[in-house]
Amino acid sequence: MAKPVYVLNGPNLNMLGLREPTIYGAETLDDVKRRTEARAAQLGLEVDFRQSNFEGELVTWIQQARTEASGIILNAGAYTHTSIALMDAIHAAELPTIEVHLSNVFRREGFRHHSYISLAARGVICGFGPKVYELALEAMADILQQQSSAKG
Ligand code: DHK
């Protein structure tokens, strides 16, 4: 049985739908989870979708991913811009990791232009609202396909 892709969400993403809808949109995190799971099923992937407001819990999940997941899609919320611990955890996980953001962080405040996650991630997708999770899954499906054909 193939391992799931972990889709991990950081602080305040549980507030989607209520939180600054002009920036983050009207969909709730449950809506995002449903659309992510639906796209994963089309791509033949399984996802394990989680959210935490706690940096340490996200670190623990990334550590767990090393043995339990095939890849990681991560929206680290504000920890994107502050967390060396999450960056280190991603390096240690040695898994394809895709960073996502609902908003276009480069159109926003300067402090959102730097990402510790980007220093460890395979790639970054931002600015397309909840669609970023589906786009990340498509990229992940290609990466995992290439990995398995390289193994033969
Ligand atoms: C979500 C957050 O909570 C912010 O702190 C980031 C990201 C951007 C997003 O767009 O999904 O700066």
Side-chain angles (χ1 to χ4, degrees), residues 47-112:
V47 293
D48 189 335
F49 193 100
R50 305 181 187 184
Q51 188 275 333
S52 177
N53 291 325
F54 298 94
E55 185 176 14
E57 187 162 38
L58 292 161
V59 168
T60 298
W61 288 344
I62 294 166
Q63 290 177 357
Q64 192 183 90
R66 186 183 161 90
T67 53
E68 304 303 319
S70 56
I72 300 169
I73 294 171
L74 175 62
N75 184 349
Y79 291 141
T80 303
H81 318 296
T82 61
S83 181
I84 296 169
L86 285 176
M87 177 189 69
D88 284 350
I90 296 164
H91 276 134
E94 296 182 324
L95 287 174
T97 299
I98 300 175
E99 174 183 355
V100 297
H101 304 287
L102 295 149
S103 65
N104 179 354
V105 287
F106 300 103
R107 283 184 71 165
R108 301 182 63 195
E109 304 95 323
F111 61 82
R112 295 186 204 273

Side-chain angles (χ1 to χ4, degrees), residues 99-150:
E99 174 183 355
V100 297
H101 304 287
L102 295 149
S103 65
N104 179 354
V105 287
F106 300 103
R107 283 184 71 165
R108 301 182 63 195
E109 304 95 323
F111 61 82
R112 295 186 204 273
H113 298 181
H114 178 264
S115 165
Y116 284 101
I117 308 304
S118 296
L119 294 168
R122 186 74 72 92
V124 186
I125 302 171
C126 77
F128 302 103
K131 180 90 187 161
V132 296
Y133 290 82
E134 295 176 64
L135 295 170
L137 277 172
E138 287 171 32
M140 186 64 77
D142 282 354
I143 293 167
L144 297 176
Q145 182 66 52
Q146 280 161 23
Q147 270 183 6
S148 72
S149 33

